[in-house]
Every structure is written in C-alpha cells, then in structure tokens.
Amino acid sequence: MTEPEWWKTAVVYQVYPRSFADSDGDGIGDLRGVRQKLDHLVDLGIDVVWLSPIYASPHDDNGYDISDYQAIDPLFGTLEDFDELVAELHRRGLKLMMDLVVNHTSDEHPWFVESASSRDSAKRDWYWWRDPKPDGAAPNNWGSFFSGPVWELDERTGQYYLHLFSKKQPDLNWENPEVRAAVYEMMRWWLDRGVDGFRMDVINFISKDPALPDGVQDPVSGLGDGFPHFGSGPRIHEFLQEMHREVFENRDAALVTVGEMPGVTTEQARLYTDPARREVDMVFQFEHVGLDHGPGGKFTRRALDLAELKHSFARWQEALADVGWNSLYWNNHDQPRVVSRFGNDREHWYESATALATLLHLMRGTPYVYQGEELGMTNAPFSAVDDLRDIESLNYYNATVAVDEETPIDVLARVAVGSRDNARTPVQWDDSPGAGFTDGRPWIAVNPNASWLNARAQEGDDRSVLAWYRRLIALRHEEPLLRDGRFELLLPSDPRLWVYTRTAERRQLLVAGNCSDGPVTVPEDLLGEWADAAVVLANAPGRERLTASLGPWEVAVLERSVPVT
Ligand code: GLC
C-alpha cells in the first residue's frame, strides 16, 4: 500500500517533451525519446515525472493550446507510445503526472469550433462570448498575458470571445455545468489509462466574476488588470471540491494533484491545500520568481535582493507549516534558468548551481527539478529575434517595438533575459552537434555551451552538478527530518548568507549558503553553535566543519543533536 501522502517525500522531474529527446530526427522531442532516457531519470532518483502537454494541438503556445484532450499530437507519437511510456515508468517505480490545461482550449478544439459557429450553437455558452460595447469596443478593458486585449472579435457572429492568453486559447466557461462534466469525464479517462495525477495549468483562473468588470488601467499599455476578477474567483473552491468528488474520490490514494496558481497568496494556498477541504495536494506559487521583475513585469528586470528572496520563502514555509503543503521550484518551462538568473553562470557555475539547489531542496515541501536543471543548464545567448520561438516573448517584442522609443536591439536584450525560451533549448545530453537531443535540425537552437556542459561529461564525475542533484534527491528520501522538521530562517536580513535550520525531536540540520561572488564571514554566534557539528553535504572540497568563512557560493549542510524540547 502506498502511503497516502507519499508525495511529501517525493521529488518531481518535469519533462518538456518538445525539448527533451527526439527519437525520429524531426528536431522535436517525442514520447519515444522520453522512454529512451528513463535510465537518466532512474539514476537521478526522482519519483514522479510531470509531462508537459503532449495532446493534439496547433502549438500556438507549444501544446498549452489543446485541440483534442484525448489524442496524442502526432509530433510526439501515438496513444500506443503513451501507453508504453506509462507501463515502462510504472515498471521502474516512477509515477506520471499529466499536464491538465482546462482554463482554456485551442480555438481549433471542436468545442470551440461549434461554439463559434453561431449565436444559437448548443455550445455557445461553453466559452465567454459578449456583445461589443455600443461603440463597437471590447466588452471590458482587461489585458492578456501575451500582450494586447483579452478580447477577440468574431466577425461572423458579431461577438467577442475572451482569451486570457493567446487569441488561439479561448477561455472555457466553468459556470456552465456541461463544461465541468466534460472536463471531469476526460480526467477520469486518463486516470483509467493509468496516469497518477495532474498538474493543473492556471487552475486558479477558472472561476471568473461573470460580470467581467473593468480592471484598474495600466498607464503604459492602457489595458486593465483583470486579475482581481478571475484570480481565485468567486466559485473556485466549489469547482475544485466538485472536481475532487467527481474525479479523485474513491480512487487509489496514490494520486497527486498540483495547482499552478499565479498570484496566489499564502492565505489562499492554505485553503487550497488543506487536506480536509479536498481541493489539491499542493500549489505552485510565483512570489519568489517575481522578485526580480521590474515595474513592467518579467521583461523589465531588477536586481534580486537576497533578503527579500529569503523572506518570501520563509513566509511560505511558515504559512503552510501546520496545514497544507508547498511545492519547491526554481525552474520550469516558463522561467529563465536559475543558475543564470540568481546564481553566477560564469566564474561560479558549479558552486552557484549546487548552492541554489541545496537551499531549495532542503526546505519543507515537494522539490521539482526541471529538465536540464540537474546539469546546471544556463540561459541561452539569444542575439536575434529569429532565435526566439515563444509566443509570449515574440508578442511582447512586436508590441513594444511598435510603440516604444527604445531601439529594437534594446527591447531584444530585455526579452532575451526574461524569455521562457531560455528554459526551452534542447536538453544537453552530449557534445555532438544536436547535443544528443536530435540527429536533425532542432526546433530551437542548442545552447553552444553544450560543448562542455552536457550529461555525458558529468556522468561519472563526482564533482558535477548531476552528481550533486543525485545526492540531494537521495537525502530527501533518507532524511525523515526533511519532510516534517520545523523550519527556521536565521540571519534574515543578511544580504549574502542564506541560512536556515530544520528541526525535529533530538536532531537539527543547518543549511548555510553564501549567495555571493566573494567570501563571507560567518557570524560568531552561529559558528559557536555549529562548530562541532558534522557536515552532511558540502560543495567545497575538504570541508568537514563549519569555519569562520564560506567561499563564493559555498553551501554546507550540518547536523547536530538537540535536547528534547
Ligand atoms: C501556464 C503554462 C504556460 C502557458 C500558460 C497558458 O502558465 O505553464 O506555459 O503558456 O499557462 O496555458
């Protein structure tokens, strides 16, 4: 029998299939490619694979625009390939978590095609259709996540439809019970096929205030902020509880559910993840990955303040300490690579990749590793707009270049740093021209540093980022204190040291990292308390005890006994 809350000691690995491994040479990763690389995942020690969307899709947003929830996109393979992958994962003791994208469909989904066919269509109300304002303008002022308004006018029927993301991603109307029933049926179909859970895409956006009121206007774009009217909207908890009843109840307890929830607060997250409420097991929150965003969002960056980052994590640790559960992540397919973003991918590449990994993985929650993160993969050197593929980056670039006074080169420089494409370059398996990802022409260029930064080069090297992730993941499984031990942040305002403890009865771990490019002196009090403690993990050669100084991006984990309290 699997433990009911088995995911509390698990580590999840995210596969973005398009960029993981290409088995047929068309330059796009596929399901057989994933299957061929399972040894890598087993050796890493992870427990769950989260597979980004592999469903039929026109790929306006790389599969997050689904045109058939129950078919595999031919780019990725067939249902048979999928079943084989599930069987193989299970044979090796791994679980599979699917991506569930049900805030919206593709505009090529038959549901939307039918809905758009006429004002009287039986599925008209499955999406958000509204009349133009008397002057022909859009029904409200909301701006979309991918630039421009959320409304698209359908000339044929004379009404606008709502899309929070691209105009090829119309939002489903969850107010309509038929929509909800159809989604639940589809989810049951995948569970019956053997999948072990879902990561639910922007699931806190599914309940909208049906009045769709205007949002506060942004002075630069002129668009309004709709978030207060669709972020954790009026019926969200009701919908998630209904989903739980209709889909998950009375099934094997070994399932896992994760809600991706941009803008979620700690108070809301407690509600979403309180086991007694039966909504989701954990949420993905975005506070820590927003701290280097400037006033204009992800493409206007500001320097990270380490104290703010530590404070943010500590707040989440504390808020979900007695009820609920955190997801812990640096990277996914939407975020620039962490070693480039918060670390130093030049002089201190190994040290900062391993330090950041350690500081994250030893907190309370379920750690996520995004493909290539376990190799210390870095951001890409995008130097031309043609290097980019991501709709969010391209839409922003085009919209900004069209209105701004900035030169296209300057806009490109900003977009390149914040682009989701940084996470989407092919996984670097070896130093061959296609990086071992493909024998063909990759859909997005391989990062040139694959010549030295690749899995083959790290395999067998004890002092590699890969070896470090294996150790961290093993520690997560072996050290019970990491699951439930109390979290305490030390030196909260120190701008360079990130230090915390995890405490259970009789034992305590100290995680101490220097998040700067120079040596840092360890405060005497801390040193006094921990000087005799044994090192459990350290990324500097020869470290056996805590001493007066930590080198650039050095991290050390120490253990000691504490009196029973
Ligand atoms: C989520 C996905 C992102 C996608 C968006 C719309 O944030 O992670 O990749 O573009 O939702 O589906």
Side-chain angles (χ1 to χ4, degrees), residues 299-559:
F299 297 121
T300 57
R301 300 236 150 204
R302 66 187 180 94
L304 178 76
D305 175 344
L306 185 75
E308 251 178 53
L309 183 69
K310 295 189 294 186
H311 178 72
S312 166
F313 273 113
R315 249 175 27 82
W316 281 86
Q317 290 288 299
E318 278 147 27
L320 302 187
D322 53 343
V323 172
W325 193 249
N326 279 293
S327 308
L328 305 170
Y329 73 96
W330 286 130
N331 273 118
N332 57 45
H333 62 293
D334 296 329
Q335 302 294 331
R337 294 280 181 181
V338 70
V339 65
S340 305
R341 183 179 189 177
F342 295 152
N344 176 336
D345 64 6
R346 299 167 309 278
E347 299 85 356
H348 304 295
W349 167 73
Y350 170 78
E351 289 76 11
S352 62
T354 50
L356 287 166
T358 310
L359 288 159
L360 183 82
H361 277 234
L362 302 189
M363 285 190 273
R364 188 166 186 272
T366 299
Y368 286 67
V369 179
Y370 175 67
Q371 63 183 39
E373 184 182 340
E374 78 280 19
L375 307 174
M377 276 180 64
T378 66
N379 278 355
F382 300 122
S383 60
V385 74
D386 290 349
D387 295 344
L388 298 171
R389 297 286 178 276
D390 169 32
I391 182 168
E392 180 190 42
S393 308
L394 292 171
N395 283 1
Y396 178 87
Y397 175 85
N398 292 326
T400 311
V401 163
V403 297
D404 253 9
E405 294 177 350
E406 247 173 313
T407 66
I409 289 285
D410 290 342
V411 179
L412 179 68
R414 293 200 280 116
V415 172
V417 177
S419 177
R420 307 193 295 180
D421 278 335
N422 284 301
R424 299 176 180 186
T425 62
V427 172
Q428 296 164 200
W429 298 104
D430 61 37
D431 64 359
S432 65
F437 161 72
T438 184
D439 295 333
R441 201 180 134 79
W443 70 277
I444 186 168
V446 168
N447 191 319
N449 65 15
S451 57
W452 62 270
L453 195 174
N454 62 67
R456 183 171 295 161
Q458 295 187 27
E459 197 59 63
D461 175 359
D462 200 41
R463 203 168 177 273
S464 62
V465 179
L466 179 58
W468 188 268
Y469 268 86
R470 287 179 181 158
R471 268 182 227 130
L472 267 185
I473 293 168
L475 188 62
R476 185 92 211 168
H477 293 144
E478 289 155 13
E479 175 53 83
L481 198 154
L482 290 178
R483 181 189 140 134
D484 292 318
R486 193 157 42 79
F487 171 93
E488 190 186 354
L489 180 67
L490 307 183
L491 313 175
S493 53
D494 192 294
R496 287 170 297 177
L497 286 175
W498 187 351
V499 184
Y500 62 83
T501 51
R502 299 292 311 275
T503 311
E505 232 175 89
R506 295 173 199 279
R507 288 174 59 242
Q508 190 172 46
L509 289 184
L510 179 81
V511 184
N514 170 3
C515 296
S516 82
D517 293 343
V520 170
T521 304
V522 175
E524 269 176 31
D525 289 0
L526 188 69
L527 192 57
E529 269 193 58
W530 285 89
D532 296 333
V535 165
V536 178
L537 267 183
N539 68 351
R543 175 164 294 285
E544 284 168 3
R545 292 274 181 271
L546 189 63
T547 52
S549 165
L550 285 176
W553 292 101
E554 195 181 339
V555 73
V557 181
L558 299 109
E559 181 191 350

Side-chain angles (χ1 to χ4, degrees), residues 61 64 104 146 165 199 201-202 260 333-334 420 424:
D61 185 20
Y64 282 88
H104 44 268
F146 291 166
F165 294 89
R199 171 269 187 190
D201 194 71
V202 292
E260 188 213 22
H333 62 293
D334 296 329
R420 307 193 295 180
R424 299 176 180 186

Side-chain angles (χ1 to χ4, degrees), residues 48-234:
V48 182
V49 172
W50 153 23
L51 189 59
S52 276
I54 38 90
Y55 315 97
S57 163
H59 290 272
D60 191 49
D61 185 20
N62 288 359
Y64 282 88
D65 48 318
I66 296 168
S67 53
D68 185 344
Y69 287 112
Q70 282 159 253
I72 305 295
D73 195 286
L75 277 180
F76 297 130
T78 61
L79 257 181
E80 207 181 0
D81 295 331
F82 177 82
D83 289 340
E84 281 171 13
L85 176 63
V86 177
E88 190 61 26
L89 283 165
H90 286 168
R91 207 177 61 72
R92 291 163 177 255
L94 302 181
K95 293 182 188 291
L96 180 67
M97 182 161 88
M98 298 289 276
D99 219 306
L100 179 83
V101 188
V102 291
N103 173 67
H104 44 268
T105 66
S106 163
D107 64 339
E108 297 180 34
H109 193 293
W111 295 346
F112 186 77
V113 173
E114 193 183 332
S115 179
S117 65
S118 91
R119 286 187 182 224
D120 310 321
S121 149
K123 289 205 168 54
R124 187 65 168 179
D125 183 49
W126 280 42
Y127 294 83
W128 295 89
W129 292 97
R130 290 289 186 275
D131 286 327
K133 287 200 170 146
D135 65 354
N140 74 17
N141 68 355
W142 298 358
S144 87
F145 288 99
F146 291 166
S147 300
V150 297
W151 296 102
E152 182 71 10
L153 181 65
D154 172 50
E155 302 279 356
R156 230 168 7 139
T157 57
Q159 283 189 313
Y160 284 91
Y161 67 85
L162 176 87
H163 58 90
L164 293 184
F165 294 89
S166 111
K167 63 181 179 201
K168 287 185 67 63
Q169 293 168 299
D171 282 53
L172 281 166
N173 175 15
W174 276 69
E175 295 294 314
N176 184 326
E178 290 174 16
V179 168
R180 306 203 299 275
V183 168
Y184 304 152
E185 193 184 318
M186 173 274 283
M187 293 172 74
R188 288 190 295 259
W189 186 85
W190 283 107
L191 291 178
D192 291 344
R193 238 186 155 85
V195 313
D196 303 291
F198 296 99
R199 171 269 187 190
M200 304 173 182
D201 194 71
V202 292
I203 202 70
N204 60 330
F205 294 177
I206 58 176
S207 164
K208 286 135 180 121
D209 174 352
L212 306 176
D214 275 342
V216 176
Q217 211 179 13
D218 179 86
V220 179
S221 68
L223 292 165
D225 177 11
F227 183 78
H229 310 293
F230 63 75
S232 295

